[in-house]
Each structure stands twice: as structure tokens, then as C-alpha cells.
């Protein structure tokens, strides 16, 4: 173990030294090795197994294993069944607060069951997807039905995440894959337990990170994960909230302007280039600039659904204080959940990075004050593709006929929330010769790489 930690430390030194070696054609703000206090606390220890929530509220589950495996009671770890070398199928359903499992006539009820291959290199299968690690089945805590969780090692999990999050690319882009691996690892560790009430750590979807198991792993992504194994980003001694999105449109955003979250020194407004007037790293992205059009009637229909959904969303957690007021009524007794006729749209505030900070939607019911990134859900594209507006970085053009709004056009930039790492920018930086460490410090300024301890 000591040797492994030493080896990782050496890799870190090598990555940091590459900054001084001048391997990139242009220089960015330097990383400051040693500026951070040493890692502290259990959150900087790699988890033995991570719980990835695959599906919830399932009436039945059919799990398959193609080799020797055991079925265990999740509480006592007592063995309930043994599959021989031919493997087999495990059927699960729910009865009351218990999981009922059946295999070839055998059947019993437990608070949870585990399907664990005897050979760790074997995969478990559900819904035509293979997974490393093991399956845990529990009664869904929030609903009826069953929740299926893939319990898997952190690095194995990343192999099922990185190619889906940043794509598959050639060797010239490998530094971006390494940067993505570090960002995804850091995101995962900093969000451990955030879905605890549901019985797992992270969702296998865009709710956290897209994870599709082991069948379509990418050899170059796996190499990038292996070479950065255990490396995470820290700022002021704490794990970075390593958000990333597809294309920032040339300008990353401050987090607190986009979401109801506190400011972070590394999630700030900055140009995605080497300086003012320079070409943005993500400028060749097909999402760098975009146009979305609505006729007023169609947008009015969309708003009848999205504005009430916005009001409901803004009642939870930290959101009311961040977004108040969300609605100003035009007259007493109005029901804000029924917006009615669309009268006007007006952007009343922009963030320093050029994203919409506040949009006012005027309807016959009143004025809806839409804040930050939620504007993307409210102004949903008429085609439904994508489901939400590509980004909050846009200007509106309005056409009126006889004083009536007839057409609305959004001229926009970027794809995604624009906080943290810009994936298309990172790929271009890699192609230009920047190292993974340089890419990371560009997108998370002031952060430093550290090695996770292992249990
Ligand atoms: Zn960008």
C-alpha cells in the first residue's frame, strides 16, 4: 500500500513538473504545488465500494450472472444461494418491506439481497448492461417497488462514466480524458452519501453522472483513469465541487449566479481562452452558438406547464431565499399556477459571464421572475429537442404585430450550465498540448491535485 501511495505521489510530481517543463504552447496561471494543507478527514479516503442507483420503483428485477456467484442477505451477509459455473438468473420482487428472491424453486424474503460473483472479474447483468462489482437489491425507500444498486469500486465506476461524459477520442486528446477522470472522481467523492435517503450514493444518470456499466468501456479512457487513479482536486483543504458541462460558450460562470449555492473561489466567471480577445478553446463546438425560435402561441402553451413547474421547484430547500420573489400577481385572487396569455418576456439581469440572471415573463396572471439556470427549463424548445434550452447564455429578439407578441428568438452560446470544466474546451486544450493538470487549473482556478488515501 505504501508503495502504491508513493507511486501515485511520484505521478503527481511528474504531472506538476510538466507545468514547468513548458510542454504547452501558451501559458496559463500556474498551479501552486504545496499551497494546500495536507488532506484531512474521512472524506479524502477512497470508498471501498460506491453505491450507484441504477433503477428505482421496479416491480420485478431479473439479474443475471454468467459464472459462479453467491446470493447474500445484505444485513447478515449470510449465504442464501450459490450459483455454479454456469451462473443463472435471480428474480426479485417486493412484498411489504421485504425483497422476495427466487432461484429455481428456492425462495425467501429479506430486507435486502446481494448478488456477488465469486470471481471479481466476472460481471453481473441487468437490462442488457454488464456491471463490474455486485448488485444490491433493496425495497425502494421513497416509493413502492425495488431499487437496484451497483456496488462497485470507485475506479471501476469511473470506467463506466468517463466515455459517456466526454466521449471517445484519439490519443491527441488524452489529457482531456485524464482531466475529465479527475473531475468525475472528485465529483463522486464530494457527493458520496448525497442520495443516502434513497439507499445509494449517486444516480447513474445526468442527475449525477451518466454511468452505463462495463460493456462499452473505452481503452483510452480506462488508461486515463488508471494513470490518474486516486487523484482528486482540492481547494482550501476541501474537495472541489467539480462540476463540468459540454460547452461554456467562451465564458465560465460563477456558481452562485446560476444555482442557489454559495460562492466558491474556483467556480468563477472566467474566459475560456488564454486572455481577452483570444479565441475561445470551445469556439469550434457546434454548440458554441445556437438559435432557438418560438412562435408566441407555442411558447404560451409551453409556459402553461413550465412556469407552474418553476414555482413548485423554487419552494424547496435553499431556493426560496435565492429566488424571491418568484411571482408578482397582476390583481388579487390570481392563481399563479395558471399563467394564461403571454404578454411579454424581458431579461432584466445578466451575470458577468453573459448568462441570464433574471428573466421576467409577463402573463395575464402576473410577472414570473425566473432566476439563473432555471430559465432553461422555463423556455423549453418547441421541438422538445433538447428538452431544455441549451444554455442560459442568450439574448432575446421579439417580433410584434399590432402590439401583439408573435415570435421570440433566442440567440445563444454554449451547451450546459457553464460551471467548472468545459468539455469541448478541455478537448481543444489537450489537442493544443496542454497537460491534464493545466486543463484542470484553468477550469478550477486555484485548485490543487491530491492523492486520496485508501482504506
Ligand atoms: Zn468553453
Amino acid at each position: 500500500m505504501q508503495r502504491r501511495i508513493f507511486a501515485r505521489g511520484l505521478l503527481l510530481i511528474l504531472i506538476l513538473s510538466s507545468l514547468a517543463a513548458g510542454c504547452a504552447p501558451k501559458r496559463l496561471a500556474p498551479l501552486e504545488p504545496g499551497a494546500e494543507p495536507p488532506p484531512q478527514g474521512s472524506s479524502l479516503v477512497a470508498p471501498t465500494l460506491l453505491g450507484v442507483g441504477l433503477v428505482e420503483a421496479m416491480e420485478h428485477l431479473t439479474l443475471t450472472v454468467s459464472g459462479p456467484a453467491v446470493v447474500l442477505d445484505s444485513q447478515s451477509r449470510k449465504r442464501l444461494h450459490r450459483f455454479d459455473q454456469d451462473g443463472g438468473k435471480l428474480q426479485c420482487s417486493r412484498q411489504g418491506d421485504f425483497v422476495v428472491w427466487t432461484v429455481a424453486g428456492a425462495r425467501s424474503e429479506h430486507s435486502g439481497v446481494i448478488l456477488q460473483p465469486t470471481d471479481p472479474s466476472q460481471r453481473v447483468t441487468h437490462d442488457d448492461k454488464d456491471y463490474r462489482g455486485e448488485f444490491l437489491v433493496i425495497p425502494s425507500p421513497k416509493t413502492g417497488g425495488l431499487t437496484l444498486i451497483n456496488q462497485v469500486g470507485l475506479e471501476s465506476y469511473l470506467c463506466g462514466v468517463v466515455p459517456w461524459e466526454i466521449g471517445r477520442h484519439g490519443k491527441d486528446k488524452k489529457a482531456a480524458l485524464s482531466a475529465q477522470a479527475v473531475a468525475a472522481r472528485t465529483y463522486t467523492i464530494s457527493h458520496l452519501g448525497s442520495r443516502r435517503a434513497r439507499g445509494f450514493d449517486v444516480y447513474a444518470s445526468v442527475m449525477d453522472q451518466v454511468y452505463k456499466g462495463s460493456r462499452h468501456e473505452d481503452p483510452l479512457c480506462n488508461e486515463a483513469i488508471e494513470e490518474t487513479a486516486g487523484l482528486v482536486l482540492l481547494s482550501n483543504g476541501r474537495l472541489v465541487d467539480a462540476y463540468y458541462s459540454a460547452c461554456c460558450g467562451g465564458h465560465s460562470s460563477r456558481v452562485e449566479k446560476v444555482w442557489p449555492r454559495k460562492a466558491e473561489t474556483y467556480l468563477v466567471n472566467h474566459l475560456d481562452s488564454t486572455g481577452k480577445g483570444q479565441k475561445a478553446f470551445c469556439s469550434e463546438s457546434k454548440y458554441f452558438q445556437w438559435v432557438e425560435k418560438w412562435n408566441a402561441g407555442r411558447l404560451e402553451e409551453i409556459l402553461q406547464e413550465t412556469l407552474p413547474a418553476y414555482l413548485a421547484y423554487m419552494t424547496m430547500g435553499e431556493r426560496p431565499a435565492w429566488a424571491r420573489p418568484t411571482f408578482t400577481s397582476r390583481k388579487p385572487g390570481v392563481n399563479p399556477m395558471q399563467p394564461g396569455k403571454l404578454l411579454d418576456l424581458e431579461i432584466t439581469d445578466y451575470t458577468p459571464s453573459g448568462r441570464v440572471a433574471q428573466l421576467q415573463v409577463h402573463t395575464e396572471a402576473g410577472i414570473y421572475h425566473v432566476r439563473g439556470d432555471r430559465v432553461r427549463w422555463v423556455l423549453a424548445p418547441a421541438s422538445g429537442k433538447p428538452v431544455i434550452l441549451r444554455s442560459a447564455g442568450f439574448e432575446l429578439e421579439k417580433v410584434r404585430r399590432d402590439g401583439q407578441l408573435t415570435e421570440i428568438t433566442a440567440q445563444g452560446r454554449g451547451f450546459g450550465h457553464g460551471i467548472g470544466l468545459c468539455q469541448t474546451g478541455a478537448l481543444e486544450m489537450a489537442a493544443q498540448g496542454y497537460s491534464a493538470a493545466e486543463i484542470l487549473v484553468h477550469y478550477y482556478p486555484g485548485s490543487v491535485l491530491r492523492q486520496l488515501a485508501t482504506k
Side-chain angles (χ1 to χ4, degrees):
M1 195 64 71
Q2 285 294 333
R3 182 173 297 173
R4 182 179 163 82
I5 291 169
F6 173 75
R8 297 293 174 219
L10 193 61
L11 172 68
L12 178 57
I13 290 164
L14 288 173
I15 290 175
L16 296 175
S17 347
S18 71
L19 294 175
C23 59
K26 297 168 192 161
R27 310 265 25 112
L28 296 168
L31 198 64
E32 293 177 21
E36 287 295 308
Q40 49 185 296
S42 57
S43 64
L44 292 177
V45 175
T48 312
L49 283 179
L50 177 74
V52 188
L54 301 180
V55 287
E56 294 179 287
M58 297 293 286
E59 218 168 292
H60 298 283
L61 286 170
T62 301
L63 312 178
T64 311
V65 65
S66 56
V70 289
V71 180
L72 305 172
D73 179 290
S74 64
Q75 299 290 315
S76 66
R77 311 288 293 188
K78 190 179 153 213
R79 196 176 73 214
L80 308 173
H81 181 78
R82 184 198 291 273
F83 286 104
D84 64 18
Q85 71 234 24
D86 295 331
K89 284 187 194 308
L90 177 72
Q91 306 283 350
C92 297
S93 58
R94 178 166 174 171
Q95 197 151 342
D97 291 336
F98 295 96
V99 177
V100 181
W101 66 269
T102 55
V103 180
R107 174 186 193 278
S108 63
E109 296 178 2
H110 298 266
S111 54
V113 293
I114 290 171
L115 176 61
Q116 183 185 70
T118 311
D119 174 357
S121 68
Q122 280 279 341
R123 306 288 193 257
V124 282
T125 305
H126 171 255
D127 196 22
D128 205 30
K129 291 194 188 82
D130 298 332
Y131 297 89
R132 297 169 186 260
E134 62 190 29
F135 282 148
L136 166 65
V137 183
I138 59 167
S140 296
K142 299 273 183 185
T143 59
L146 298 169
T147 296
L148 177 62
I149 300 161
N150 180 206
Q151 301 197 123
V152 61
L154 172 66
E155 302 300 326
S156 297
Y157 160 73
L158 292 173
C159 296
V161 168
V162 172
W164 300 102
E165 287 291 356
I166 196 163
R168 292 150 209 273
H169 302 275
K171 283 199 166 148
D172 62 324
K173 309 272 177 72
K174 190 171 167 195
L177 307 184
S178 300
Q180 174 70 76
V182 173
R185 185 179 297 108
T186 308
Y187 176 93
T188 308
I189 301 292
S190 63
H191 287 78
L192 281 181
S194 60
R195 314 290 183 185
R196 190 177 293 124
R198 295 183 172 273
F200 48 84
D201 290 302
V202 286
Y203 280 105
S205 70
V206 289
M207 297 276 285
D208 284 302
Q209 301 178 113
V210 175
Y211 169 63
K212 298 198 181 184
S214 64
R215 199 176 292 178
H216 301 289
E217 289 177 2
D218 175 65
L220 200 61
C221 287
N222 282 8
E223 227 176 272
I225 293 160
E226 167 70 21
E227 286 171 10
T228 62
L231 286 178
V232 291
L233 283 171
L234 288 168
S235 177
N236 295 319
R238 290 188 301 116
L239 282 162
V240 159
D241 252 342
Y243 293 106
Y244 51 88
S245 62
C247 174
C248 74
H251 213 145
S252 298
S253 179
R254 297 188 72 87
V255 66
E256 75 279 13
K257 298 285 183 187
V258 175
W259 293 331
R261 293 178 55 94
K262 69 180 178 60
E264 298 287 0
T265 54
Y266 52 84
L267 296 178
V268 291
N269 161 42
H270 72 94
L271 290 169
D272 190 10
S273 67
T274 51
K276 210 169 178 183
Q278 301 299 310
K279 193 177 170 192
F281 289 121
C282 56
S283 60
E284 297 300 321
S285 163
K286 62 180 172 182
Y287 305 119
F288 191 68
Q289 289 186 313
W290 50 263
V291 177
E292 194 66 49
K293 275 185 202 286
W294 301 262
N295 72 52
R298 180 71 187 113
L299 185 57
E300 189 176 286
E301 275 172 28
I302 291 167
L303 293 171
Q304 303 312 306
E305 287 181 26
T306 60
L307 286 172
Y310 169 71
L311 294 183
Y313 179 85
M314 279 300 171
T315 60
M316 291 178 271
E318 306 289 309
R319 296 164 197 159
W322 185 72
R324 190 172 291 134
T326 50
F327 177 72
T328 312
S329 74
R330 207 166 281 285
K331 55 189 178 207
V334 156
N335 180 1
M337 302 310 265
Q338 292 174 354
K341 187 170 173 53
L342 171 64
L343 304 176
D344 200 4
L345 292 149
E346 194 182 355
I347 297 170
T348 53
D349 192 18
Y350 275 100
T351 71
S353 70
R355 287 173 174 79
V356 174
Q358 180 156 242
L359 170 75
Q360 290 189 354
V361 184
H362 298 248
T363 76
E364 61 183 351
I367 303 169
Y368 295 80
H369 308 267
V370 185
R371 288 287 306 270
D373 211 41
R374 293 319 288 186
V375 73
R376 298 169 59 204
W377 278 256
V378 169
L379 295 184
S383 65
K385 288 180 185 172
V387 178
I388 61 172
L389 202 59
R390 287 175 183 81
S391 84
F394 61 87
E395 285 86 41
L396 284 180
E397 289 167 10
K398 297 175 282 187
V399 177
R400 292 178 191 277
R401 219 165 278 140
D402 303 327
Q404 299 283 311
L405 204 56
T406 56
E407 191 175 87
I408 301 98
T409 304
Q411 302 273 2
R413 299 165 300 284
F415 198 165
H417 49 66
I419 296 164
L421 184 140
C422 166
Q423 290 169 313
T424 43
L427 289 163
E428 175 58 23
M429 287 182 78
Q432 289 185 21
Y434 289 98
S435 70
E438 285 174 306
I439 293 170
L440 287 165
V441 82
H442 172 62
Y443 291 113
Y444 307 103
S447 64
V448 295
L449 285 162
R450 282 288 182 271
Q451 179 68 45
L452 283 174
T454 45
K455 280 180 184 163

